[in-house]
């Protein structure tokens, strides 16, 4: 007797062009190429909304041959786990922050030098220009592919459950969470704080249980990850501009047919540019929204922070670590730093 499982029935229909109807339900054809994409942000963040749009566009333009499956919100593990998964091909795509991919590609943290960028014009000129090209080349050397357009995370701001942070002096001894990032650790140590590296997946509970008192992130992240629930005040410091590199496993990327590569790259780069616009728009309302949720805002004295970083030798040290070429490209975009 032949036993028909769902699988054998599906297989028997696979050769036919019409979609089979079984028990009244349409069975969709499985995509020929399934590409997994993991990230660390809640579904409601513009990064996930635009990535889903890119995935839908790719499915449509490849007539269903290619499916990009999104695993948001650290479903596949934290940043460190996803970085190794994208390296070994367990997932095809990942969007690490520049700070995080810098654990593997040190020069990628160049955009995060403290107080380097004064506005978004400078940011996109640099990241769509020489600075970005330099970083993408370095990313390719570790056998990853970086799409051309970087996605926006934003200017990072500091929040705390303790007393408001107004000048560099308020940083002394502050237990502040930073991403898994050598530059962030060095920068906050230079400010005399007590930084601790934690993956983003652990931040909410670390703040809730007071393992740390403070953290720093762009306002849209503080909003979607509900960090305002476990923090009292936010210092508008703009101390780092941070973005996400949309990266692919090098071998998986090169293994895709050229026509598919073209469709995927256009969809992802266009989505990235649209996502920048979303963050820009969000920035107009996010502070008011967070205030209405109980987070108090205060200004900071940026000169006191810059002076402290300069005195502690932070700029000099990182100029050496990044090297003359990268530093020159950055200064070409933003002016002299140290
Ligand atoms: O972990 C963070 O703070 C975040 C979400 O901004 C990054 O991905 C670096």
């Amino acid at each position: 007797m032949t036993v028909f499982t769902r699988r054998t029935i599906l297989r028997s229909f696979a050769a036919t062009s019409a979609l089979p109807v079984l028990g009244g339900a349409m069975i969709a054809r499985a995509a020929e190429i399934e590409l997994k994409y993991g990230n660390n942000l809640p579904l409601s963040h513009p990064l996930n909304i635009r990535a889903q749009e890119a995935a839908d566009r790719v499915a449509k333009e490849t007539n269903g041959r290619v499916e990009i499956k999104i695993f948001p919100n650290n479903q596949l593990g934290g940043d460190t786990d996803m970085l190794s998964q994208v390296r070994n091909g367990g997932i095809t795509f990942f969007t690490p922050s520049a700070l995080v991919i810098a654990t593997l590609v040190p020069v990628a943290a160049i955009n995060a030098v403290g107080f380097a960028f004064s506005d978004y014009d400078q940011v996109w000129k640099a990241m769509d220009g020489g600075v970005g090209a330099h970083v993408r080349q370095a990313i390719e050397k570790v056998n990853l592919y970086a799409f051309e357009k970087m996605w926006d995370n934003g200017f990072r701001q500091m929040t705390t459950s303790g007393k408001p942070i107004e000048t560099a002096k308020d940083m002394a001894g502050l237990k502040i969470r930073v991403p898994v990032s050598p530059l962030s650790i060095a920068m906050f140590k230079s400010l005399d704080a007590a930084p601790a590296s934690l993956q983003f997946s652990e931040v909410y509970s670390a703040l809730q249980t007071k393992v740390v008192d403070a953290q720093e992130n762009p306002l849209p992240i503080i909003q979607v990850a509900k960090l305002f629930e476990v923090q009292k005040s936010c210092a508008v410091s703009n101390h780092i501009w941070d973005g996400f590199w949309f990266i692919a496993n090098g071998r998986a990327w090169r293994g895709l047919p050229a026509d598919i590569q073209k469709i995927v790259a256009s969809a992802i780069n266009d989505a990235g540019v649209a996502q920048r616009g979303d963050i820009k728009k969000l920035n107009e309302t996010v502070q008011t929204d967070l205030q209405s949720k109980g987070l108090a805002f205060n200004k900071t004295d940026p000169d006191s922070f810059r002076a402290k970083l300069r005195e502690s030798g932070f700029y000099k040290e990182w100029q050496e670590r990044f090297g003359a070429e990268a530093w020159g490209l950055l200064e070409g975009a933003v002016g002299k730093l140290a």
Side-chain angles (χ1 to χ4, degrees):
M1 193 179 97
T2 314
V3 179
F4 286 98
T5 62
R6 190 164 168 272
R7 206 172 260 280
T8 55
I9 293 169
L10 280 177
R11 218 181 282 133
S12 70
F13 276 104
T16 68
S17 56
L19 289 174
V21 179
L22 292 179
M26 290 281 279
I27 309 269
R29 232 177 335 183
E32 213 173 282
I33 303 171
E34 198 185 275
L35 306 170
K36 289 187 184 153
Y37 160 43
N39 68 63
N40 66 355
L41 297 184
L43 258 184
S44 54
H45 190 277
L47 172 131
N48 271 310
I49 294 164
R50 294 296 182 178
Q52 186 58 55
E53 265 180 35
D56 294 344
R57 179 172 149 192
V58 166
K60 187 157 170 259
E61 291 182 4
T62 62
N63 298 314
R65 275 178 74 200
V66 180
E67 183 190 3
I68 297 177
K69 263 203 159 143
I70 304 177
F71 297 85
N73 212 14
N74 299 299
Q75 276 174 20
L76 301 178
D79 282 319
T80 313
D81 306 301
M82 287 188 282
L83 195 55
S84 45
Q85 287 164 27
V86 76
R87 292 189 79 195
N88 66 30
I91 57 178
T92 305
F93 302 117
F94 174 39
T95 37
S97 137
L99 290 165
V100 168
I101 195 174
T103 54
L104 184 63
V105 182
V107 76
I110 184 85
N111 62 263
V113 170
F115 302 95
F117 292 108
S118 42
D119 58 40
Y120 272 107
D121 281 347
Q122 281 187 351
V123 166
W124 299 129
K125 222 187 260 169
M127 303 322 292
D128 288 338
V131 177
H134 185 81
V135 171
R136 289 177 62 234
Q137 262 175 25
I139 292 176
E140 281 178 29
K141 288 208 178 102
V142 299
N143 202 19
L144 292 167
Y145 172 77
F147 289 95
E148 208 174 312
K149 296 293 179 186
M150 202 178 191
W151 296 43
D152 195 12
N153 190 0
F155 281 89
R156 300 181 78 92
Q157 321 295 354
M158 295 184 243
T159 65
T160 177
S161 58
K163 77 176 176 53
I165 302 159
E166 281 163 356
T167 74
K169 284 207 173 70
D170 298 319
M171 301 303 290
L174 182 69
K175 282 199 284 182
I176 184 167
R177 175 271 173 179
V178 297
V180 181
S181 147
L183 181 132
S184 302
I185 289 282
M187 184 169 152
F188 282 90
K189 278 192 176 157
S190 293
L191 293 168
D192 292 340
S197 271
L198 291 174
Q199 305 197 82
F200 189 62
S201 48
E202 299 170 290
V203 172
Y204 187 97
S205 67
L207 292 168
Q208 192 175 36
T209 57
K210 299 267 164 77
V211 170
V212 289
D213 296 317
Q215 69 84 43
E216 44 85 56
N217 250 302
L219 300 186
I221 298 263
I222 294 165
Q223 185 183 49
V224 296
K226 300 195 184 330
L227 301 183
F228 56 83
E229 292 176 352
V230 286
Q231 294 284 269
K232 272 196 207 128
S233 72
C234 178
V236 180
S237 52
N238 294 307
H239 55 279
I240 281 175
W241 176 79
D242 187 21
F244 297 101
W245 284 109
F246 210 115
I247 60 169
N249 173 277
R251 201 148 58 104
W253 178 250
R254 287 190 303 274
L256 291 174
D259 60 326
I260 303 271
Q261 279 183 356
K262 201 168 156 217
I263 290 172
V264 172
S266 301
I268 287 177
N269 286 324
D270 288 353
V273 172
Q275 187 267 359
R276 296 176 184 181
D278 297 338
I279 296 286
K280 188 174 176 198
K281 209 151 157 232
L282 206 48
N283 282 338
E284 290 165 13
T285 56
V286 63
Q287 180 170 335
T288 313
D289 177 65
L290 289 170
Q291 273 165 333
S292 78
K293 291 178 164 117
L295 194 65
F297 278 75
N298 64 270
K299 292 202 176 103
T300 59
D301 171 17
D303 287 343
S304 72
F305 288 88
R306 272 196 217 100
K308 178 80 186 164
L309 290 177
R310 222 179 291 121
E311 282 159 25
S312 70
F314 171 82
Y315 291 108
K316 205 166 158 286
E317 185 196 335
W318 284 82
Q319 177 170 9
E320 277 162 26
R321 286 174 76 156
F322 286 129
E325 192 187 348
W327 197 263
L329 288 165
L330 180 63
E331 285 192 332
V334 302
K336 278 264 172 258
L337 279 168

